[in-house]
Amino acid sequence: MTTRFTVIRDNTPQSAIPRGTVVAMGNFDGVHLGHRAVIEAALQMGRAHGKPALALTFEPHPRSFFSPNTPQFRLTDETNKLRLLAGTGLDGAVVMTFDKNRAGTSAQDFIHHDLIERLGVSGIAVGYDFHFGKGRVGSPSLLVAEAPRLGIEVDVQAHVDIEERPVSSSAIRMALAEGEVADATAMLGGPWFVTGEVIHGEKRGRDLGYPTANIRLDKNCGLKHGIYAVRVGRGKGKDQARIDGVASFGRRPTFDNGAPLLEVFLFDFKGDLYGNLLDVAFIGFIRDELKFDNIEGLIRQMDDDSARARAQLAAAPEAFPKLGAID
């Protein structure tokens, strides 16, 4: 078994791909509890076979290929998806480029060429609703039907429910769009997070007594505009420091009503963060974004926001996504 999380891509030589691996197949946007059930099935199968267990996923997300002009709110970009997958105990991931050729590949060709000939899989774990191949003809039932002839094992996982509601990436996007952070966290199995580089802003926060680290999120981010309790990761791996804070995501209606920006105030922190990459985990929703008539009112509200954020974070001292390192 491998000890490092290795990423296999289209240009990886076949000689560098371990034979007999077990794969968990899916798009894995967010790596939520439904995805984790598929991953756990692959891990168990891998242990039984004495073989590595890998995630098999696609980039860009197939929805982006088929609907390029439709905004797509992704829960995780490719890097963060891989970091989450690396935190599950998997040995690696196969990232297949989803392009015109991939979209035109028949389900049978995908099974025989990609899964059997190139990857040499011994087992497949998949969710009940996962489809693949041209026209989405490929299905879990097709894999089950083909398994005896191919000499592989197939495990199909049913949907995962929370309070009788199916867990899905779409449901998590909807929860985040409504500021329902607790619901999103429950479905994800941990806090939703974003990663971004700290950029220079208008530096208004300094004058208000709340200097912020400003991060521009993806233009299609569907997170509700408002104020959040956040936990920030700075650095990598075991050396990553975590700092609590309060964040505003929105257009700053009191000042300029500009492009959406994430502004993070870190509690009890002093230092220069410009150019740093930060992981920002959303622990709790505090309030909607508001427009204030004067600066004094804004500062009083920010004081209250900070107190509420500290309380929410104190109630969840260990809340942070479980992330792994990727090669």
Side-chain angles (χ1 to χ4, degrees):
M1 300 290 282
T2 59
T3 57
R4 302 173 66 183
F5 188 87
T6 302
V7 180
I8 297 167
R9 299 187 182 274
D10 294 351
N11 60 358
T12 300
Q14 190 163 349
S15 60
I17 302 173
R19 309 302 289 177
T21 58
V22 172
V23 295
M25 286 207 305
N27 290 313
F28 297 120
D29 188 23
V31 194
H32 57 59
L33 292 183
H35 298 145
R36 290 173 187 271
V38 175
I39 290 165
E40 181 56 33
L43 287 168
Q44 290 184 13
M45 197 185 303
R47 287 191 287 267
H49 291 202
K51 295 293 185 179
L54 312 175
L56 191 162
T57 190
F58 304 89
E59 287 292 338
H61 194 292
R63 193 181 301 112
S64 299
F65 173 81
F66 289 115
S67 303
N69 297 319
T70 302
Q72 307 290 347
F73 174 21
R74 286 191 56 166
L75 298 174
T76 45
D77 61 16
E78 179 180 346
T79 298
N80 281 344
K81 177 169 70 173
L82 290 173
R83 293 171 74 199
L84 285 166
L85 290 171
T88 65
L90 287 167
D91 297 283
V94 180
V95 180
M96 293 186 173
T97 302
F98 200 91
D99 53 15
K100 183 178 181 180
N101 288 336
R102 182 76 61 199
T105 300
S106 71
Q108 287 288 354
D109 280 350
F110 178 77
I111 293 171
H112 291 277
H113 178 266
D114 292 299
L115 297 180
I116 303 301
E117 293 179 11
R118 176 163 166 76
L119 296 178
V121 302
S122 63
I124 301 169
V126 68
Y128 73 101
D129 59 348
F130 183 73
H131 289 78
F132 59 94
K134 184 177 181 180
R136 291 170 53 84
V137 170
S139 64
S141 60
L142 175 63
L143 290 171
V144 170
E146 290 283 279
R149 186 169 62 83
L150 297 172
I152 63 174
E153 183 178 350
V154 173
D155 184 296
V156 180
Q157 287 292 304
H159 57 78
V160 172
D161 295 343
I162 294 180
E163 295 181 353
E164 300 183 354
R165 292 184 302 167
V167 171
S168 70
S169 298
S170 296
I172 295 166
R173 292 186 195 100
M174 186 176 299
L176 293 171
E178 296 173 352
E180 300 293 343
V181 173
D183 285 352
T185 298
M187 288 186 280
L188 286 165
W192 180 69
F193 79 107
V194 296
T195 302
E197 180 179 344
V198 178
I199 61 174
H200 289 274
E202 298 296 327
K203 299 179 173 58
R204 296 191 188 97
R206 294 181 182 179
D207 297 332
L208 300 174
Y210 284 90
T212 58
N214 302 318
I215 298 173
R216 189 79 65 188
L217 302 188
D218 185 274
K219 65 179 181 180
N220 295 322
C221 177
L223 178 68
K224 180 182 178 68
H225 290 182
I227 312 301
Y228 294 85
V230 297
R231 181 159 288 133
V232 174
R234 181 191 184 197
K236 293 183 178 180
K238 295 180 181 178
D239 297 326
Q240 187 180 67
R242 294 178 186 171
I243 312 167
D244 288 351
V246 61
S248 168
F249 178 60
R251 297 182 178 276
R252 306 161 304 284
T254 301
F255 297 104
D256 58 10
N257 208 37
L261 185 68
L262 179 65
E263 301 172 282
V264 183
F265 172 67
L266 300 175
F267 299 143
D268 311 313
F269 175 84
K270 292 183 179 180
D272 184 355
L273 292 172
Y274 293 120
N276 282 218
L277 277 179
L278 302 181
D279 294 324
V280 183
F282 293 79
I283 310 303
F285 180 76
I286 295 176
R287 63 172 175 85
D288 290 348
E289 186 175 40
L290 301 172
K291 181 176 181 178
F292 293 85
D293 295 330
N294 54 66
I295 298 302
E296 292 74 19
L298 172 59
I299 294 174
R300 284 195 299 272
Q301 183 63 62
M302 292 169 73
D303 291 341
D304 183 67
D305 295 339
S306 295
R308 293 177 63 186
R310 285 182 185 272
Q312 290 186 11
L313 292 158
E318 302 300 321
F320 202 77
K322 185 177 181 181
L323 305 172
I326 55 178
D327 288 349

